Amino acid sequence: MPSLPEIPLTSNGYRLDDAPARLGRLAASDPAEPLDRLAARYEDQGYLWLKGLLPRDEVLAFRRYFFRQFAATGLLAPGTDPLDGIANPAEGAGEGARKVLFQLVRSAAYESFCLKPELWSFLDRFLGGMSYLHKRKLIRYTRPNDPSSTGAHYDLVYLRGGTKRLVTAWIPVGDVPVRMGGLIYLEGSHRIGRRLEEEFARANADLPPQERISAFNRNMSETGWISKDLPDMADRFDRRWLIADYEAGDVVLHSPYTIHAATTNVDPDGLMRLSTDIRYQPVAEEIDARWSNHWSPDDGL
């Protein structure tokens, strides 16, 4: 296994690198491998890290387009190339950036990026028929040293109103080495997620239908997350957290039961991490109606 990074690896204030035995590396896959082999690996691992599925130059072009839209907000360091996505360290920089972000979610450019033929054609084959891309799609940038990170969770808690044959595609928009805090996966956790979901289903059985499918019902946490304490989770489930140095063009597919989280961006040059996560399913199967609108700050998900 390649050596682990010599950087502080933290998430929501918890250090992961204090227990190196609880860390490992994500296994990469070649998208050109036979589909049956990739499908078997996905079932076994709960994820597929597809190296270079998308054209690198097109991913980088969208990164530049994305950050260029924030020019008037002061989000970027003055005089820098939007492609780099270097955060302006000045206090209060980026005022109005949130508004621009939710405009970008609705833009033709972002929709086009999510509908790259290399991606949807792979998902068609992977799902065994026409695939459906959920309209609610998330794209996020993360400044260096932001103390808040996505806690450990699995995606089905937010998508209980439709089919369980879901696949999340997490796409780094630019290179995302470990120091920039990309997604990390709890090894073999799709089996744990299934067990947890079965437990929640039993606990939720007597709730009204709408509350039963909610990620924030009385039997769930406030956020729908399992925990912010990732080292404790590794110990509790006797699993490693798997990390990776992602590159522009990579796509990670993961099961709706696979537990994942993010770490703190500690890039020394001020580069912002940019990534999008979108969901696919067979088009003929039931769709969670709550995901039939664009992502918005008040959509309750």
Side-chain angles (χ1 to χ4, degrees):
M1 182 187 74
S3 61
L4 297 174
E6 296 180 0
I7 58 167
L9 195 61
T10 65
S11 180
N12 293 301
Y14 295 96
R15 287 285 296 266
L16 283 81
D17 51 330
D18 285 348
R22 290 300 188 195
L23 290 174
R25 287 275 182 176
L26 216 61
S29 294
D30 183 345
E33 289 185 63
L35 188 63
D36 58 348
R37 189 182 303 169
L38 292 172
R41 192 173 303 147
Y42 178 85
E43 288 300 317
D44 180 57
Q45 298 178 155
Y47 71 87
L48 275 179
W49 175 17
L50 299 170
K51 291 294 298 176
L53 178 66
L54 303 178
R56 176 180 175 85
D57 59 342
E58 295 179 16
V59 175
L60 294 177
F62 178 70
R63 178 180 173 89
R64 174 178 275 124
Y65 175 90
F66 178 92
F67 280 123
R68 189 186 296 138
Q69 309 314 308
F70 295 88
T73 71
L75 177 67
L76 301 180
T80 60
D81 187 340
L83 173 62
D84 295 329
I86 298 175
N88 187 344
E91 186 175 351
E95 184 177 354
R98 185 173 174 82
K99 180 180 179 181
V100 174
L101 174 64
F102 285 105
Q103 290 173 344
L104 270 160
V105 165
R106 293 161 168 75
S107 70
Y110 177 49
E111 186 78 8
S112 176
F113 180 79
C114 294
L115 288 172
K116 290 205 170 294
E118 296 86 356
L119 185 56
W120 65 254
S121 61
F122 185 93
L123 267 297
D124 274 8
R125 293 191 299 117
F126 191 72
L127 290 169
M130 289 187 293
S131 58
Y132 171 80
L133 171 62
H134 284 244
K135 187 172 184 178
R136 186 177 187 270
K137 302 182 287 292
L138 291 77
I139 185 165
R140 303 180 177 95
Y141 60 84
T142 305
R143 305 187 202 208
N145 303 310
D146 184 335
S148 299
S149 302
T150 301
H153 68 286
Y154 58 93
D155 290 345
L156 190 66
V157 298
Y158 305 103
L159 285 145
R160 288 178 174 141
T163 181
K164 293 178 173 56
R165 288 192 64 205
L166 297 159
V167 177
T168 292
W170 182 80
I171 306 171
V173 186
D175 295 338
V176 180
V178 172
R179 66 177 179 272
M180 290 179 70
L183 280 198
I184 64 174
Y185 290 87
L186 191 62
E187 191 173 28
S189 59
H190 53 307
R191 300 179 182 89
I192 298 169
R194 285 184 183 276
R195 187 170 72 244
L196 291 173
E197 187 61 16
E198 289 169 0
E199 293 171 2
F200 282 127
R202 287 192 293 270
N204 296 342
D206 296 331
L207 299 180
Q210 286 305 112
E211 189 178 355
R212 190 183 311 141
I213 65 172
S214 173
F216 314 110
N217 68 41
R218 69 192 72 172
N219 297 311
M220 302 291 295
S221 71
E222 181 182 351
T223 59
W225 296 346
I226 301 168
S227 177
K228 289 183 177 182
D229 188 342
L230 304 190
D232 174 73
M233 284 194 66
D235 289 337
R236 189 184 354 152
F237 294 114
D238 192 21
R239 294 286 194 277
R240 299 184 301 170
W241 284 103
L242 304 180
I243 62 177
D245 291 307
Y246 304 105
E247 296 177 295
D250 294 353
V251 174
V252 185
L253 305 181
H254 65 249
S255 158
Y257 297 100
T258 298
I259 297 171
H260 53 286
T263 57
T264 304
N265 179 0
V266 293
D267 186 82
D269 298 318
L271 273 66
M272 287 184 278
R273 181 183 77 239
L274 180 62
S275 63
T276 184
D277 45 299
I278 56 181
R279 276 84 189 172
Y280 287 85
Q281 67 170 72
V283 72
E285 298 192 14
E286 186 176 5
I287 297 166
D288 191 325
R290 300 171 301 166
W291 285 68
S292 296
N293 297 298
H294 289 296
W295 177 38
S296 65
D298 57 352
D299 65 11
L301 289 166

